[in-house]
Amino acid sequence: MTPVVFVVCLLASLSSVTSQNIPPHIITPEAKTKEYLKGKSKVVLHCTASGNPAVTYKWYFDGTKITSTNYVKVDSTTGNLTIPSFSNREQGEYQCGVENNVGPGVYPLAMSPVTTLKEIVLKGWADSGAKPKPVNGSEGGYARLECGDAPASDPPARFTWFLQGVEGTQEQVKETNRIYIDDKGTLHFIFLEVADQTAVDIYKCAMYNDNPDNIQLGSPKKLTVKPADVKPQVPPKPVYRTVNPQFLIGQDAELECVFSGHPIPSVQWLGLRKELITANKKYRLDKNNMKLQIINITENDEGIYTCTATSSTTVEDNIFLDVTSGPIWEQSLHNQTIPEGRDAIFTCKARSARSEDELNAPVWYKNGVEININNLPGTGKMEFSDRYRVMTVRGLTKPGDIMCLQCRVTNSIGSEFANGCLNVIEPIIVTTQPSLRQGIKKGDLVNLTVRGTTDPGMTLRYRWEFKNKTYYTELPPYVTYDDVSDKAYINTTSLSDEEYKQIEGNYSRVLYHSFETHPVVIEVVLEDWIVAPVVVRQAGVPIWLIILLILLILLIIFIIICCCCYQKRKDRGAYKVYDTEVNTVYLSPDKDIEDHKFQNVTSIDPEEDESVKKTLNPNYELSDDDMDSLDGYAGGRRSTSSK
C-alpha cells in the first residue's frame, strides 16, 4: 500500500468513528489544597472536567452535597462554587463531583481532590492594658523577654518586637548577631548593652500571620541594665532550642539553637553523621548560624542534629527532628479503559512514614457513595484482596460497569483521597483471517488478509511485524495489498529463488488502538525448499564424562603394571632357600649373604657345589632334585659339557 492510499484509508476510518461515551475526567483541581482566607472575603472555587455526553457538576461540603443558598452558590453547568462572604461558618473540606449519563440508568460520578478552606484567625491579648513586667540584667550578661500569654493564631503566627514610646511611637527592634527572636516569640539578648535599657519606653511583642492588616501587640516588658566598669567575658551557654520539632515530608524544617555569651560565640551545626553542615542547596544557615533550615525534607532527614557554640569554651546542644507525613501513596487509583469480558483491578495502597503505625484499611466509594465491604453491591462482580487495598471488578460489561471509584486512607496526620473512573468498551474481534499455518510451493498465492472490528468509539489500526521489523505505513517484502478487495497476499509466481526463500517466516498482523492490541500470527512454510536436516545429538552421558572414565581406567591399569614390575624386580634379587637346606645348614640365609658366602652363585659348578656342601656337612648326600637345581644355576652349562 502506498503512503497516499494509507492516509486516505486512515481518514476514511476516522470519519466512520462514532461518538464514544466516556465517563467524567476531572481536570482541575489536580491536587488537594489548603487555603487561608480573610473573613467576609468572596471565594470562588473552580472545577473543570471532560466527558461524553456533557458533564454536570456538584459540590460537597464535609461529605454532604451542597444545595445553593444565600451563603453558597453552585453552578452545575460551569462547575463554579461561590461564597459571597466567607466566615468560619463556611470553613471545611470541599469536593467537586462530576457526572454524566453514559447509558440507560448509568451515571458515573467522579470526585475531585479535597480543597480545605480556613478563616485566618488572630485575636488580641486578653489583657491588653497590662502593666509592663520588669526584667533586670547586667551589662555583658544575658537577658530574654518572653512573649507571654500569646493569643491563638491560625495559621501559626510570626513574631517581632517593638519599642513603644510614651507618645505612642513604635520602633521595630532589629535582629542582629546580638539580638535574636526565636520561633516562640522570645526576644534574646546574647549579651546586654546599656543601650538596651528602657527609660520610659517599653518593649512589646507583636504577632501577625497571613492577614497583613492584623498585627497584635502585647506582653509589655521594661528592661533595666546595670552598667559594668569592664564588660566581663562570659562563656557560651545554651539558652534555647527548638523543642520536639515535627515537620511533614516535603516541608522546609527550621531548627533553632540560641547561645548566650560574651563575646558572641561562633555557632556550627553537625548533621546526622556528625558531619559539619555548610550552606548549600539542602541547608541554609541564618541569624548568625543559630537557625538551620533543611530544604524539602525526606524521611532520611529524621534524626539528631547537634549545634555547637565556641568562644572561650565549646558547648553543644542536640535536637531530634521528627519527620512525619499523612498517608504516602504507593499506588493510587487512576482512570482505566478496558474491553468487555475482562477484569478491572483498582489498587489503593498507601503507607505511613518510616517507623510509624501502619495504616488502617482504606474506605471505598462507588460514584461517591461509600461501599459497605460487608454487603458489596452487584452480584459478586466486586472482590477485595490484600487487606481491602485491591478491588477487582470481574467480567466487565458495557455500559453497566462504567463507573467511578474512590478511596480514602487516613492516619493521625491527615488523609489522602483518590478517584479512578472505569470505561468499558467493545473488544477487538477478528472477522477475517487465513489459515495460521500455510505450507506453500513456488507459484502459490500466500493469503495474509486479516480484518476486524472494535468499539464504535475507537479507531482500529493495523500494522505488520515480520522478522523483528515493524511496518506501519509500508508492507513487508513482497507483500501486496489490493485496495479494491481489501486483501493482502504474496504472489510467489514472479519471485526469484532467492526472493522466494526470504518470504518464509511468521507474519504478525496486529490490530490495535489506544486500549487494546490483538496480534494474528501467520506462519509461512516453504514445502518445496530442501533444508539441510538439523542434527540433534541424542540425550545421553556427556562426552567429557566418558573421557574421564577412560582416563581413570587407564590410570588404574598403569598403576597395576607398575606394581607388578616392582615386585618382579624385587623377587629377582632374592635368595631361593631349599627345604633340605632349611632343615640342615642354611638356617640364616640373610646372615650368609652378609658374610659373602654366596658370591657368584650362578657360576658354581655342580661338582664344586657338592664338594663344598659335603665339607660343610659330612652327612650331606646329593639327591636327584639337588642336581636338577644345580643344573638351573649352571644356566645350561652342565648340559653343554655333557654333550
Side-chain angles (χ1 to χ4, degrees):
M1 181 193 297
T2 64
V4 174
V5 173
F6 177 83
V7 172
V8 172
C9 292
L10 179 60
L11 292 175
S13 64
L14 288 174
S15 63
S16 64
V17 175
T18 61
S19 178
Q20 165 69 16
N21 288 345
I22 302 174
H25 168 63
I26 295 178
I27 301 171
T28 58
E30 296 181 287
K32 70 174 183 178
T33 57
K34 187 175 185 179
E35 298 182 31
Y36 283 94
L37 305 167
K38 293 171 59 176
K40 299 182 180 181
S41 59
K42 181 179 179 179
V43 180
V44 179
L45 299 181
H46 301 281
C47 183
T48 59
S50 62
N52 189 48
V55 300
T56 58
Y57 297 88
K58 304 176 181 180
W59 279 90
Y60 295 82
F61 174 67
D62 289 341
T64 302
K65 182 182 175 182
I66 298 174
T67 302
S68 292
T69 65
N70 292 332
Y71 306 110
V72 181
K73 299 182 184 298
V74 176
D75 190 323
S76 61
T77 303
T78 65
N80 291 343
L81 178 142
T82 304
I83 303 174
S85 179
F86 182 78
S87 67
N88 60 357
R89 176 186 54 219
E90 287 80 40
Q91 67 178 0
E93 293 185 349
Y94 290 82
Q95 279 184 281
C96 173
V98 186
E99 70 176 0
N100 62 356
N101 178 211
V102 297
V106 181
Y107 292 85
L109 175 71
M111 297 289 290
S112 74
V114 175
T115 298
T116 303
L117 301 183
K118 302 201 74 176
E119 183 182 12
I120 299 173
V121 175
L122 178 58
K123 299 181 179 179
W125 265 266
D127 188 5
S128 57
K131 293 183 179 181
K133 180 180 178 180
V135 177
N136 299 318
S138 300
E139 186 178 6
Y142 167 75
R144 65 181 176 187
L145 308 181
E146 295 183 355
C147 189
D149 302 322
S153 174
D154 192 17
R158 299 183 287 277
F159 298 90
T160 187
W161 281 80
F162 284 90
L163 194 59
Q164 189 175 55
V166 178
E167 299 83 7
T169 58
Q170 294 178 347
E171 180 183 354
Q172 185 175 358
V173 176
K174 294 182 179 180
E175 291 186 86
T176 65
N177 291 347
R178 193 177 61 83
I179 300 175
Y180 188 94
I181 301 174
D182 65 38
D183 57 2
K184 298 298 181 182
T186 300
L187 175 61
H188 299 268
F189 294 92
I190 307 305
F191 66 85
L192 285 169
E193 298 277 9
V194 175
D196 299 325
Q197 177 174 274
T198 58
V200 293
D201 298 338
I202 58 175
Y203 287 95
K204 277 193 173 183
C205 178
M207 296 176 59
Y208 61 99
N209 55 25
D210 290 358
N211 183 1
D213 300 328
N214 185 12
I215 299 178
Q216 298 293 328
L217 278 74
S219 189
K221 300 291 188 295
K222 191 172 184 65
L223 177 61
T224 301
V225 179
K226 180 180 179 181
D229 295 336
V230 178
K231 193 179 298 182
Q233 286 199 354
V234 180
K237 178 182 178 181
V239 293
Y240 175 80
R241 62 178 171 82
T242 306
V243 179
N244 300 326
Q246 185 183 74
F247 291 88
L248 301 178
I249 292 174
Q251 289 183 331
D252 295 341
E254 291 186 350
L255 307 180
E256 293 181 299
C257 273
V258 181
F259 294 91
S260 64
H262 179 259
I264 296 173
S266 173
V267 178
Q268 291 182 322
W269 289 84
L270 304 179
L272 302 178
R273 292 173 292 277
K274 300 303 179 183
E275 76 281 6
L276 180 65
I277 293 177
T278 57
N280 52 38
K281 292 182 179 180
K282 181 65 178 177
Y283 302 105
R284 295 175 186 168
L285 297 168
D286 193 14
K287 297 185 177 182
N288 195 33
N289 290 354
M290 292 190 187
K291 175 180 284 190
L292 170 66
Q293 190 176 38
I294 308 172
I295 309 302
N296 190 23
I297 61 171
T298 67
E299 292 170 287
N300 295 329
D301 294 318
E302 182 173 274
I304 297 176
Y305 292 81
T306 302
C307 48
T308 66
T310 302
S311 58
S312 57
T313 60
T314 298
V315 295
E316 69 176 36
D317 208 348
N318 295 314
I319 301 175
F320 179 81
L321 172 61
D322 179 16
V323 179
T324 187
S325 175
I328 302 168
W329 284 118
E330 292 182 332
Q331 187 173 349
S332 179
L333 305 186
H334 61 277
N335 293 341
Q336 300 186 52
T337 299
I338 300 178
E340 277 188 294
R342 301 186 185 179
D343 298 339
I345 299 175
F346 289 86
T347 302
C348 180
K349 284 187 179 181
R351 65 174 179 86
S352 297
R354 191 180 300 161
S355 302
E356 296 188 1
D357 294 338
E358 187 175 349
L359 298 174
N360 293 326
V363 178
W364 288 86
Y365 305 83
K366 178 184 177 182
N367 297 327
V369 179
E370 184 175 345
I371 297 175
N372 183 353
I373 58 177
N374 298 316
N375 185 22
L376 297 177
T379 55
K381 295 183 73 71
M382 286 187 179
E383 296 178 4
F384 285 99
S385 59
D386 192 10
R387 294 174 294 169
Y388 298 100
R389 300 189 298 177
V390 177
M391 174 194 281
T392 303
V393 185
R394 301 287 185 188
L396 299 177
T397 59
K398 176 185 177 180
D401 289 328
I402 298 177
M403 68 182 84
C404 292
L405 297 171
Q406 298 86 29
C407 73
R408 186 189 299 271
V409 285
T410 307
N411 65 3
S412 59
I413 303 299
S415 67
E416 291 291 336
F417 184 88
N419 177 88
C421 291
L422 172 62
N423 188 24
V424 182
I425 61 174
E426 297 175 18
I428 294 175
I429 299 175
V430 176
T431 57
T432 301
Q433 70 178 38
S435 173
L436 299 183
R437 188 181 189 279
Q438 300 183 38
I440 65 168
K441 296 180 180 180
K442 186 72 177 292
D444 289 346
L445 194 70
V446 183
N447 184 6
L448 300 175
T449 303
V450 178
R451 303 189 193 96
T453 62
T454 189
D455 193 278
M458 298 291 110
T459 300
L460 186 61
R461 294 179 171 85
Y462 296 80
R463 67 173 182 262
W464 290 96
E465 294 176 0
F466 180 65
K467 293 185 178 180
N468 298 321
K469 185 175 180 180
T470 301
Y471 302 85
Y472 288 98
T473 60
E474 299 177 348
L475 296 171
Y478 315 115
V479 174
T480 302
Y481 181 79
D482 190 329
D483 300 329
V484 178
S485 62
D486 193 23
K487 292 181 179 180
Y489 58 89
I490 300 176
N491 188 347
T492 63
T493 304
S494 59
L495 299 181
S496 66
D497 289 345
E498 187 63 31
E499 292 172 339
Y500 179 64
K501 286 191 297 182
Q502 295 177 14
I503 69 171
E504 187 173 43
N506 292 333
Y507 292 80
S508 182
R509 187 60 161 157
V510 182
L511 294 71
Y512 69 101
H513 53 64
S514 300
F515 305 104
E516 187 181 8
T517 299
H518 189 105
V520 177
V521 180
I522 305 166
E523 181 184 9
V524 176
V525 180
L526 307 183
E527 294 183 343
D528 56 350
W529 189 261
I530 299 176
V531 180
V534 179
V535 179
V536 180
R537 182 164 55 88
Q538 294 183 350
V541 180
I543 189 66
W544 65 268
L545 183 58
I546 296 174
I547 295 174
L548 181 63
L549 290 174
I550 293 173
L551 292 175
L552 183 61
I553 293 172
L554 292 175
L555 179 62
I556 294 173
I557 293 173
F558 177 78
I559 292 174
I560 293 173
I561 293 173
C562 289
C563 291
C564 292
C565 293
Y566 175 80
Q567 187 64 37
K568 186 175 181 180
R569 299 185 74 177
K570 183 178 180 182
D571 292 340
R572 183 179 300 170
Y575 169 69
K576 184 174 182 179
V577 181
Y578 303 99
D579 292 339
T580 55
E581 293 175 313
V582 172
N583 295 329
T584 55
V585 178
Y586 300 103
L587 300 179
S588 182
D590 294 334
K591 187 174 185 304
D592 292 341
I593 292 172
E594 183 178 356
D595 295 338
H596 308 289
K597 292 179 180 181
F598 295 94
Q599 296 180 4
N600 200 19
V601 172
T602 58
S603 62
I604 296 178
D605 186 76
E607 290 79 5
E608 294 177 359
D609 181 69
E610 182 179 358
S611 63
V612 171
K613 291 182 179 180
K614 286 184 177 182
T615 304
L616 296 173
N617 185 2
N619 298 321
Y620 175 78
E621 293 292 336
L622 186 64
S623 65
D624 292 337
D625 292 337
D626 293 333
M627 290 302 297
D628 293 338
S629 298
L630 289 174
D631 287 341
Y633 278 108
R637 187 164 49 89
R638 178 181 178 84
S639 58
T640 304
S641 62
S642 63
K643 289 181 180 180

